[in-house]
PDB file of all heavy atoms in Angstrom:
ATOM      1  N   MET A  67     156.140 -85.954  72.310  1.00 90.00           N
ATOM      2  CA  MET A  67     157.103 -86.777  72.973  1.00 90.00           C
ATOM      3  C   MET A  67     156.646 -88.231  73.058  1.00 90.00           C
ATOM      4  O   MET A  67     157.433 -89.168  72.863  1.00 90.00           O
ATOM      5  CB  MET A  67     157.328 -86.231  74.386  1.00 90.00           C
ATOM      6  CG  MET A  67     158.481 -86.879  75.114  1.00 90.00           C
ATOM      7  SD  MET A  67     158.706 -86.262  76.790  1.00 90.00           S
ATOM      8  CE  MET A  67     158.958 -84.505  76.501  1.00 90.00           C
ATOM      9  N   THR A  68     155.362 -88.407  73.299  1.00 90.00           N
ATOM     10  CA  THR A  68     154.813 -89.753  73.366  1.00 90.00           C
ATOM     11  C   THR A  68     154.853 -90.465  72.023  1.00 90.00           C
ATOM     12  O   THR A  68     155.191 -91.644  71.924  1.00 90.00           O
ATOM     13  CB  THR A  68     153.366 -89.718  73.892  1.00 90.00           C
ATOM     14  OG1 THR A  68     153.308 -89.041  75.130  1.00 90.00           O
ATOM     15  CG2 THR A  68     152.786 -91.103  74.039  1.00 90.00           C
ATOM     16  N   LEU A  69     154.593 -89.728  70.955  1.00 91.00           N
ATOM     17  CA  LEU A  69     154.693 -90.328  69.608  1.00 91.00           C
ATOM     18  C   LEU A  69     156.120 -90.719  69.264  1.00 91.00           C
ATOM     19  O   LEU A  69     156.363 -91.753  68.652  1.00 91.00           O
ATOM     20  CB  LEU A  69     154.131 -89.339  68.570  1.00 91.00           C
ATOM     21  CG  LEU A  69     152.599 -89.217  68.578  1.00 91.00           C
ATOM     22  CD1 LEU A  69     152.167 -88.124  67.574  1.00 91.00           C
ATOM     23  CD2 LEU A  69     151.937 -90.529  68.238  1.00 91.00           C
ATOM     24  N   TYR A  70     157.101 -89.881  69.662  1.00 93.00           N
ATOM     25  CA  TYR A  70     158.509 -90.251  69.416  1.00 93.00           C
ATOM     26  C   TYR A  70     158.867 -91.502  70.214  1.00 93.00           C
ATOM     27  O   TYR A  70     159.560 -92.370  69.735  1.00 93.00           O
ATOM     28  CB  TYR A  70     159.430 -89.109  69.798  1.00 93.00           C
ATOM     29  CG  TYR A  70     159.470 -88.001  68.759  1.00 93.00           C
ATOM     30  CD1 TYR A  70     159.298 -86.655  69.159  1.00 93.00           C
ATOM     31  CD2 TYR A  70     159.685 -88.270  67.437  1.00 93.00           C
ATOM     32  CE1 TYR A  70     159.320 -85.629  68.235  1.00 93.00           C
ATOM     33  CE2 TYR A  70     159.724 -87.239  66.514  1.00 93.00           C
ATOM     34  CZ  TYR A  70     159.549 -85.946  66.909  1.00 93.00           C
ATOM     35  OH  TYR A  70     159.567 -84.956  65.998  1.00 93.00           O
ATOM     36  N   PHE A  71     158.385 -91.569  71.452  1.00 92.00           N
ATOM     37  CA  PHE A  71     158.662 -92.737  72.259  1.00 92.00           C
ATOM     38  C   PHE A  71     158.034 -94.004  71.660  1.00 92.00           C
ATOM     39  O   PHE A  71     158.644 -95.055  71.605  1.00 92.00           O
ATOM     40  CB  PHE A  71     158.142 -92.535  73.693  1.00 92.00           C
ATOM     41  CG  PHE A  71     158.263 -93.778  74.509  1.00 92.00           C
ATOM     42  CD1 PHE A  71     159.496 -94.218  74.962  1.00 92.00           C
ATOM     43  CD2 PHE A  71     157.135 -94.545  74.806  1.00 92.00           C
ATOM     44  CE1 PHE A  71     159.610 -95.398  75.715  1.00 92.00           C
ATOM     45  CE2 PHE A  71     157.241 -95.702  75.552  1.00 92.00           C
ATOM     46  CZ  PHE A  71     158.492 -96.131  76.001  1.00 92.00           C
ATOM     47  N   LEU A  72     156.789 -93.885  71.209  1.00 92.00           N
ATOM     48  CA  LEU A  72     156.110 -95.010  70.564  1.00 92.00           C
ATOM     49  C   LEU A  72     156.855 -95.462  69.311  1.00 92.00           C
ATOM     50  O   LEU A  72     156.953 -96.678  69.048  1.00 92.00           O
ATOM     51  CB  LEU A  72     154.658 -94.644  70.227  1.00 92.00           C
ATOM     52  CG  LEU A  72     153.700 -94.540  71.442  1.00 92.00           C
ATOM     53  CD1 LEU A  72     152.343 -94.057  70.951  1.00 92.00           C
ATOM     54  CD2 LEU A  72     153.592 -95.834  72.152  1.00 92.00           C
ATOM     55  N   ALA A  73     157.356 -94.508  68.529  1.00 95.00           N
ATOM     56  CA  ALA A  73     158.096 -94.863  67.313  1.00 95.00           C
ATOM     57  C   ALA A  73     159.409 -95.608  67.711  1.00 95.00           C
ATOM     58  O   ALA A  73     159.737 -96.619  67.088  1.00 95.00           O
ATOM     59  CB  ALA A  73     158.443 -93.620  66.524  1.00 95.00           C
ATOM     60  N   LEU A  74     160.079 -95.162  68.728  1.00 95.00           N
ATOM     61  CA  LEU A  74     161.287 -95.799  69.210  1.00 95.00           C
ATOM     62  C   LEU A  74     161.007 -97.208  69.734  1.00 95.00           C
ATOM     63  O   LEU A  74     161.711 -98.172  69.412  1.00 95.00           O
ATOM     64  CB  LEU A  74     161.952 -94.992  70.295  1.00 95.00           C
ATOM     65  CG  LEU A  74     163.209 -95.540  70.897  1.00 95.00           C
ATOM     66  CD1 LEU A  74     164.323 -95.591  69.835  1.00 95.00           C
ATOM     67  CD2 LEU A  74     163.644 -94.705  72.078  1.00 95.00           C
ATOM     68  N   MET A  75     159.900 -97.349  70.489  1.00 94.00           N
ATOM     69  CA  MET A  75     159.500 -98.652  71.006  1.00 94.00           C
ATOM     70  C   MET A  75     159.137 -99.600  69.860  1.00 94.00           C
ATOM     71  O   MET A  75     159.512-100.789  69.884  1.00 94.00           O
ATOM     72  CB  MET A  75     158.309 -98.485  71.949  1.00 94.00           C
ATOM     73  CG  MET A  75     157.930 -99.768  72.612  1.00 94.00           C
ATOM     74  SD  MET A  75     156.177 -99.980  72.896  1.00 94.00           S
ATOM     75  CE  MET A  75     155.364 -99.469  71.499  1.00 94.00           C
ATOM     76  N   MET A  76     158.435 -99.117  68.864  1.00 94.00           N
ATOM     77  CA  MET A  76     158.058 -99.962  67.750  1.00 94.00           C
ATOM     78  C   MET A  76     159.268-100.383  66.904  1.00 94.00           C
ATOM     79  O   MET A  76     159.315-101.493  66.408  1.00 94.00           O
ATOM     80  CB  MET A  76     156.996 -99.250  66.896  1.00 94.00           C
ATOM     81  CG  MET A  76     155.653 -99.162  67.585  1.00 94.00           C
ATOM     82  SD  MET A  76     154.451 -98.190  66.705  1.00 94.00           S
ATOM     83  CE  MET A  76     154.195 -99.220  65.275  1.00 94.00           C
ATOM     84  N   LEU A  77     160.233 -99.478  66.793  1.00 96.00           N
ATOM     85  CA  LEU A  77     161.448 -99.799  66.081  1.00 96.00           C
ATOM     86  C   LEU A  77     162.235-100.916  66.828  1.00 96.00           C
ATOM     87  O   LEU A  77     162.685-101.880  66.192  1.00 96.00           O
ATOM     88  CB  LEU A  77     162.344 -98.575  65.921  1.00 96.00           C
ATOM     89  CG  LEU A  77     163.687 -98.788  65.253  1.00 96.00           C
ATOM     90  CD1 LEU A  77     163.465 -99.167  63.763  1.00 96.00           C
ATOM     91  CD2 LEU A  77     164.522 -97.535  65.341  1.00 96.00           C
ATOM     92  N   ALA A  78     162.342-100.825  68.121  1.00 94.00           N
ATOM     93  CA  ALA A  78     163.006-101.845  68.916  1.00 94.00           C
ATOM     94  C   ALA A  78     162.261-103.168  68.830  1.00 94.00           C
ATOM     95  O   ALA A  78     162.846-104.238  68.705  1.00 94.00           O
ATOM     96  CB  ALA A  78     163.158-101.404  70.367  1.00 94.00           C
ATOM     97  N   SER A  79     160.947-103.099  68.863  1.00 94.00           N
ATOM     98  CA  SER A  79     160.139-104.310  68.795  1.00 94.00           C
ATOM     99  C   SER A  79     160.239-104.980  67.431  1.00 94.00           C
ATOM    100  O   SER A  79     160.367-106.217  67.309  1.00 94.00           O
ATOM    101  CB  SER A  79     158.667-103.991  69.090  1.00 94.00           C
ATOM    102  OG  SER A  79     157.870-105.105  68.971  1.00 94.00           O
ATOM    103  N   ALA A  80     160.224-104.174  66.383  1.00 96.00           N
ATOM    104  CA  ALA A  80     160.361-104.713  65.031  1.00 96.00           C
ATOM    105  C   ALA A  80     161.724-105.346  64.823  1.00 96.00           C
ATOM    106  O   ALA A  80     161.844-106.413  64.206  1.00 96.00           O
ATOM    107  CB  ALA A  80     160.120-103.616  64.017  1.00 96.00           C
ATOM    108  N   THR A  81     162.760-104.718  65.330  1.00 95.00           N
ATOM    109  CA  THR A  81     164.113-105.265  65.225  1.00 95.00           C
ATOM    110  C   THR A  81     164.206-106.589  65.945  1.00 95.00           C
ATOM    111  O   THR A  81     164.781-107.560  65.437  1.00 95.00           O
ATOM    112  CB  THR A  81     165.146-104.254  65.785  1.00 95.00           C
ATOM    113  OG1 THR A  81     164.971-103.011  65.135  1.00 95.00           O
ATOM    114  CG2 THR A  81     166.549-104.788  65.595  1.00 95.00           C
ATOM    115  N   PHE A  82     163.662-106.655  67.169  1.00 91.00           N
ATOM    116  CA  PHE A  82     163.623-107.907  67.904  1.00 91.00           C
ATOM    117  C   PHE A  82     162.872-109.006  67.131  1.00 91.00           C
ATOM    118  O   PHE A  82     163.363-110.118  67.018  1.00 91.00           O
ATOM    119  CB  PHE A  82     162.999-107.728  69.293  1.00 91.00           C
ATOM    120  CG  PHE A  82     162.782-109.034  70.018  1.00 91.00           C
ATOM    121  CD1 PHE A  82     163.849-109.735  70.601  1.00 91.00           C
ATOM    122  CD2 PHE A  82     161.503-109.566  70.089  1.00 91.00           C
ATOM    123  CE1 PHE A  82     163.628-110.906  71.247  1.00 91.00           C
ATOM    124  CE2 PHE A  82     161.297-110.775  70.747  1.00 91.00           C
ATOM    125  CZ  PHE A  82     162.345-111.432  71.317  1.00 91.00           C
ATOM    126  N   SER A  83     161.707-108.666  66.652  1.00 90.00           N
ATOM    127  CA  SER A  83     160.911-109.630  65.914  1.00 90.00           C
ATOM    128  C   SER A  83     161.610-110.160  64.676  1.00 90.00           C
ATOM    129  O   SER A  83     161.562-111.350  64.409  1.00 90.00           O
ATOM    130  CB  SER A  83     159.558-109.005  65.511  1.00 90.00           C
ATOM    131  OG  SER A  83     158.846-108.657  66.634  1.00 90.00           O
ATOM    132  N   TYR A  84     162.247-109.270  63.947  1.00 92.00           N
ATOM    133  CA  TYR A  84     162.962-109.661  62.723  1.00 92.00           C
ATOM    134  C   TYR A  84     164.127-110.592  63.068  1.00 92.00           C
ATOM    135  O   TYR A  84     164.313-111.672  62.492  1.00 92.00           O
ATOM    136  CB  TYR A  84     163.453-108.433  61.980  1.00 92.00           C
ATOM    137  CG  TYR A  84     164.245-108.785  60.749  1.00 92.00           C
ATOM    138  CD1 TYR A  84     163.615-109.336  59.620  1.00 92.00           C
ATOM    139  CD2 TYR A  84     165.601-108.578  60.715  1.00 92.00           C
ATOM    140  CE1 TYR A  84     164.336-109.636  58.507  1.00 92.00           C
ATOM    141  CE2 TYR A  84     166.340-108.903  59.595  1.00 92.00           C
ATOM    142  CZ  TYR A  84     165.733-109.439  58.500  1.00 92.00           C
ATOM    143  OH  TYR A  84     166.450-109.775  57.381  1.00 92.00           O
ATOM    144  N   GLN A  85     164.956-110.221  64.048  1.00 88.00           N
ATOM    145  CA  GLN A  85     166.094-111.032  64.427  1.00 88.00           C
ATOM    146  C   GLN A  85     165.652-112.362  65.033  1.00 88.00           C
ATOM    147  O   GLN A  85     166.286-113.379  64.836  1.00 88.00           O
ATOM    148  CB  GLN A  85     167.015-110.268  65.354  1.00 88.00           C
ATOM    149  CG  GLN A  85     167.755-109.151  64.687  1.00 88.00           C
ATOM    150  CD  GLN A  85     168.673-108.408  65.601  1.00 88.00           C
ATOM    151  OE1 GLN A  85     168.678-108.602  66.810  1.00 88.00           O
ATOM    152  NE2 GLN A  85     169.492-107.560  65.030  1.00 88.00           N
TER     153      GLN A  85
END
Side-chain angles (χ1 to χ4, degrees):
M67 189 181 302
T68 305
L69 287 174
Y70 284 129
F71 173 74
L72 289 175
L74 179 65
M75 184 215 44
M76 290 174 66
L77 178 66
S79 178
T81 305
F82 170 76
S83 298
Y84 177 72
Q85 289 181 350

